[in-house]
Amino acid sequence: MRAPPATLRSRPRRNALVLAGMLLVAATSAFSTPVAGTIEQWNTGGDLATWTNAPTFGTAQTNLLNPGGWLRLTFPPIDPLAVTNDAMFSASPTNTGDFSAINLRFDYRSVFFLTDNTVRFRASSGNIWDLAFDNAATNQWESHSVLFNYGEGWSSTTGGLGLSDFTTDLQNVTAIGISIYSALGATANQFYDLDNWEYWEDATVIPEPG
């Protein structure tokens, strides 16, 4: 078990990423709303608590597990010239629905390598949206705060979508999680960890126009 951090730090975001699609499981909870204060800590070893993973391309056999109080996505050794992608996500009722009045924070650790990461959600329209985030160093837990505001840098994996599409999709989220790219040239196991996934409200955040 890991206690939630006392403070949260937003990390800088890359201006551009080459993004790939992610297979997500659709849910029928478009009319629900994530509850502020809801936190998932995966305190029971082995319990994934409705979370799963879905590779999107490549041949790496990734593995999602709970080693004893957090989620861990493992990439095995791969071709040194290859990069693959995977994501850990949830499509449960507590992680889907209307996100227009909610925000997110979580802890993330890249044990050996710093790679490209995004918070990713899919809407009932089929559109997938990404927001990049970075850790400053390897093998340390870092906290991230995420605002579901289009101006934060959200982009669609298909391109050609804008504010109105984002605003509509945000009200009908069918899955959400973290998308991770493997480290280029890595010939050893790669470990990427997630903990303290929590929804929160901030009265200073002004909802975007519909």
Side-chain angles (χ1 to χ4, degrees):
M1 179 187 302
R2 296 184 56 260
T7 59
L8 295 168
R9 303 182 301 281
S10 296
R11 311 310 306 176
R13 299 171 175 83
R14 291 185 175 92
N15 291 329
L17 287 173
V18 179
L19 299 172
M22 175 180 69
L23 176 63
L24 294 176
V25 180
T28 58
S29 55
F31 299 104
S32 64
T33 300
V35 177
T38 299
I39 183 170
E40 181 57 68
Q41 296 177 300
W42 298 281
N43 289 334
T44 302
D47 183 14
L48 301 183
T50 78
W51 286 65
T52 187
N53 66 304
T56 57
F57 64 89
T59 57
Q61 300 298 309
T62 58
N63 183 36
L64 182 67
L65 54 88
N66 179 339
W70 63 88
L71 283 188
R72 167 166 288 179
L73 189 67
T74 302
F75 286 93
I78 59 176
D79 183 335
L81 298 180
V83 174
T84 191
N85 168 253
D86 203 354
M88 39 186 163
F89 71 95
S90 174
S92 72
T94 57
N95 291 295
T96 55
D98 187 351
F99 277 64
S100 58
I102 206 77
N103 299 293
L104 169 68
R105 53 193 172 203
F106 60 90
D107 294 345
Y108 184 75
R109 177 172 64 179
S110 299
V111 177
F112 298 124
F113 306 95
L114 296 178
T115 61
D116 292 339
N117 320 294
T118 66
V119 175
R120 171 171 287 185
F121 75 84
R122 182 182 179 180
S124 58
S125 64
N127 295 331
I128 295 174
W129 294 87
D130 282 314
L131 181 68
F133 70 93
D134 299 287
N135 270 22
T138 59
N139 202 30
Q140 69 179 27
W141 288 98
E142 298 184 27
S143 302
H144 300 271
S145 297
V146 176
L147 301 181
F148 291 98
N149 291 337
Y150 182 74
E152 290 293 303
W154 289 92
S155 62
S156 66
T157 60
T158 55
L161 302 180
L163 173 60
S164 60
D165 303 288
F166 179 81
T167 302
T168 299
D169 286 343
L170 199 60
Q171 298 173 26
N172 298 279
V173 173
T174 57
I176 189 169
I178 302 294
S179 176
I180 304 165
Y181 275 80
S182 63
L184 180 63
T187 57
N189 283 334
Q190 304 172 50
F191 303 126
Y192 303 98
D193 299 338
L194 178 67
D195 200 7
N196 296 320
W197 184 271
E198 181 181 12
Y199 297 111
W200 59 284
E201 293 177 334
D202 186 345
T204 64
V205 176
I206 302 174
E208 296 164 352

